[in-house]
Amino acid sequence: MRKLRILYVANNKISDFAEFGKLKDNPALEELVALGNPCYQDPALDVPTVRANIIRQIPSLKILDGERVELEEREAAESKQE
């Protein structure tokens, strides 16, 4: 799985952002679609925060949920602490 480039896990039952951290060891992963998972439904989190949580855990991502991960977004995500 280390050569996996695109992964679609939309509309599954991923409720914990830590699950995405399991993908960080795949340096080839460039695109992830994860919309529709319970972790996106938390009313305390807005879309930029959800994206930051995932981008921080998968440094190789270039596209998340069909939207390009810009350098500024990546830097902001990496600077946020949980």
Side-chain angles (χ1 to χ4, degrees), residues 8-70:
Y8 293 89
V9 293
N11 300 310
N12 278 283
K13 296 182 180 180
I14 302 171
S15 59
D16 187 349
F17 287 108
E19 295 298 317
F20 295 107
K22 296 175 183 177
L23 299 170
K24 71 180 174 194
D25 293 329
N26 184 347
L29 185 62
E30 296 178 349
E31 183 175 349
L32 176 70
V33 177
L35 290 168
N37 283 291
C39 59
Y40 278 68
Q41 318 270 324
D42 186 338
L45 302 176
D46 59 6
V47 173
T49 302
V50 170
R51 286 179 59 85
N53 283 332
I54 296 172
I55 292 166
R56 185 173 38 254
Q57 294 189 61
I58 310 171
S60 60
L61 277 186
K62 294 181 180 175
I63 300 172
L64 175 58
D65 298 327
E67 293 184 26
R68 189 169 198 67
V69 176
E70 300 295 339

